[in-house]
Amino acid sequence: MKPKVISFINMKGGVGKTTLSIGIADYLSNDLGKKTLFIDMDPQFNGTQAMFDFFKQDETAKIIQSYTTNNQGQKITLAEAKKSIFDSEHNYYNDKVKAERKTIYLLFTPQVELGQSYTSPDNEGLITNLTDNLDIIAGDLNLVLVNRSSDYTLVKRLSNFLLDNEQSLDYEYIIIDCPPTLTTYTDGALLASDFYVIPNRIDRYSINGIDSLQDAIGNLVRQERVNLKNLGIIYTMVQTDLPKRYEAIKRNFESKKVVNSMDIFDAVMHYYSDIQVGKTGGTLPTRYQRSKEDIEAITVELLERIATSEV
């Protein structure tokens, strides 16, 4: 069965897009038992770091232990290594994934020789396993270099990778965290997707990003003749006690023509400081009770919207 590919995108940064997308990927895989692939297309790769910080703690501790000695010149204990996970330059991402070029940048590396033919990497050369049901294509800061290339064939690298490895990619859902800019790899993510959602924080300027995004996606759909469906807007970082001025901004936002053409999710993602500073669950929203309840409600509604769109 072909996986459902969903991009999470907004032209504005700081809207909680990554928190939402990693939360949904984690909930789909570890709570609903759905085979899920998370693809980090954002050059900031915060989603990758959050996933590795949580799921690869033991592996990171072993790497740190192998490099670190105590005052007596002896290897530190594993317990001591775990305490220095967030202070060490050595970690699973840098020492394993990045060192082996096992990141999304491998897909978008431009060809350097005219006679060189491009072939998609196999899934084992690109995908990192996190849990029984959750895998990741790790992000990479080097994606900032991709948009300097004039090679438009890069746009289809992701969709070609998914097609070329269709038989071995056994996923029900693929979640893509897109950058807050229109770039070659943003177009690539959308071309590979069946659906997209717009996480959005209500503020005075939020309408600007939505308007620009819908124009750009509309142009892409018309140019490439793809069947890309918008599932709606998801409100994020919502304050628990809404001030009156927020309600006024929200009403103004929802009155805009571009917003009226889309659905708005009933479920919302509230703002929780625990996600930003928490230790036990890192920055995964599914590891804190209140934020997990939000993720659960949003995921249920997301799956309902996908099912309805396919009828």
Side-chain angles (χ1 to χ4, degrees), residues 61 64-65 68-70 74-82 84:
I64 293 172
Q65 184 186 31
T68 311
T69 57
N70 57 26
Q74 301 170 323
K75 291 293 180 185
I76 62 172
T77 66
L78 199 56
E80 290 171 327
K82 285 186 176 181
S84 61

Side-chain angles (χ1 to χ4, degrees), residues 115-171:
Q116 181 185 34
S117 60
Y118 174 81
T119 56
S120 296
D122 60 44
N123 58 331
E124 292 183 359
L126 190 58
I127 294 173
T128 300
N129 174 251
L130 296 175
T131 71
D132 288 344
N133 289 319
L134 180 61
D135 293 338
I136 185 174
I137 296 180
D140 194 321
L141 179 62
N142 285 320
L143 276 186
V144 297
L145 303 174
V146 174
N147 214 40
R148 300 177 183 176
S149 173
S150 59
D151 184 359
Y152 191 73
T153 63
L154 296 176
V155 171
K156 298 194 176 175
R157 291 282 181 89
L158 178 57
S159 53
N160 287 343
F161 166 77
L162 297 178
L163 183 63
D164 293 343
N165 291 279
E166 187 175 14
Q167 298 303 314
S168 57
L169 294 176
D170 182 27
Y171 300 108

Side-chain angles (χ1 to χ4, degrees), residues 42-94:
D42 192 332
Q44 297 182 63
F45 66 99
N46 291 331
T48 295
Q49 295 175 80
M51 292 286 201
F52 284 148
D53 282 349
F54 187 84
F55 292 112
K56 294 296 184 181
Q57 286 187 43
D58 290 345
E59 289 90 337
T60 290
K62 290 175 183 177
I63 291 169
I64 293 172
Q65 184 186 31
S66 70
Y67 281 100
T68 311
T69 57
N70 57 26
N71 293 334
Q72 288 74 44
Q74 301 170 323
K75 291 293 180 185
I76 62 172
T77 66
L78 199 56
E80 290 171 327
K82 285 186 176 181
K83 291 180 181 179
S84 61
I85 281 179
F86 296 106
D87 300 320
S88 175
E89 63 182 26
H90 295 290
N91 55 54
Y92 189 85
Y93 176 80
N94 287 332

Side-chain angles (χ1 to χ4, degrees), residues 140-243:
D140 194 321
L141 179 62
N142 285 320
L143 276 186
V144 297
L145 303 174
V146 174
N147 214 40
R148 300 177 183 176
S149 173
S150 59
D151 184 359
Y152 191 73
T153 63
L154 296 176
V155 171
K156 298 194 176 175
R157 291 282 181 89
L158 178 57
S159 53
N160 287 343
F161 166 77
L162 297 178
L163 183 63
D164 293 343
N165 291 279
E166 187 175 14
Q167 298 303 314
S168 57
L169 294 176
D170 182 27
Y171 300 108
E172 294 178 72
Y173 296 96
I174 297 176
I175 304 296
I176 306 178
D177 184 20
C178 298
T181 51
L182 291 176
T183 62
T184 298
Y185 40 90
T186 310
D187 286 353
L190 292 169
L191 286 180
S193 297
D194 305 300
F195 310 97
Y196 71 99
V197 295
I198 305 174
N200 190 59
R201 179 180 183 178
I202 292 295
D203 60 37
R204 192 172 300 279
Y205 304 107
S206 59
I207 191 63
N208 298 332
I210 303 292
D211 225 341
S212 301
L213 177 62
Q214 284 298 89
D215 285 344
I217 291 178
N219 290 335
L220 183 69
V221 167
R222 287 189 294 273
Q223 179 178 327
E224 298 294 336
R225 312 288 177 89
V226 291
N227 184 23
L228 177 63
K229 298 177 182 178
N230 174 249
L231 293 177
I233 296 170
I234 302 174
Y235 287 147
T236 55
M237 305 179 76
V238 176
Q239 298 292 333
T240 305
D241 298 318
L242 296 181

Side-chain angles (χ1 to χ4, degrees), residues 6-21:
I6 310 144
S7 279
F8 288 69
I9 185 168
N10 192 318
M11 291 289 288
K12 280 174 59 63
V15 299
K17 170 183 59 64
T18 295
T19 298
L20 182 65
S21 60

Side-chain angles (χ1 to χ4, degrees), residues 205-308:
Y205 304 107
S206 59
I207 191 63
N208 298 332
I210 303 292
D211 225 341
S212 301
L213 177 62
Q214 284 298 89
D215 285 344
I217 291 178
N219 290 335
L220 183 69
V221 167
R222 287 189 294 273
Q223 179 178 327
E224 298 294 336
R225 312 288 177 89
V226 291
N227 184 23
L228 177 63
K229 298 177 182 178
N230 174 249
L231 293 177
I233 296 170
I234 302 174
Y235 287 147
T236 55
M237 305 179 76
V238 176
Q239 298 292 333
T240 305
D241 298 318
L242 296 181
K244 290 183 179 180
R245 67 178 182 277
Y246 176 95
E247 287 294 348
I249 294 172
K250 181 171 177 287
R251 284 195 301 271
N252 181 59
F253 173 78
E254 293 177 357
S255 70
K256 302 301 183 183
K257 181 179 179 181
V258 66
V259 177
N260 280 326
S261 67
M262 293 180 282
D263 289 330
I264 297 175
F265 275 57
D266 294 321
V268 303
M269 186 73 191
H270 292 91
Y271 175 81
Y272 299 110
S273 59
D274 286 352
I275 299 175
Q276 313 302 322
V277 301
K279 292 289 187 181
T280 57
T283 53
L284 280 180
T286 41
R287 305 299 156 154
Y288 303 91
Q289 182 178 349
R290 291 190 299 167
S291 54
K292 182 175 180 178
E293 290 172 357
D294 286 352
I295 291 293
E296 178 180 9
I298 292 170
T299 303
V300 168
E301 188 171 351
L302 178 74
L303 298 185
E304 289 173 350
R305 287 171 178 261
I306 290 174
T308 300

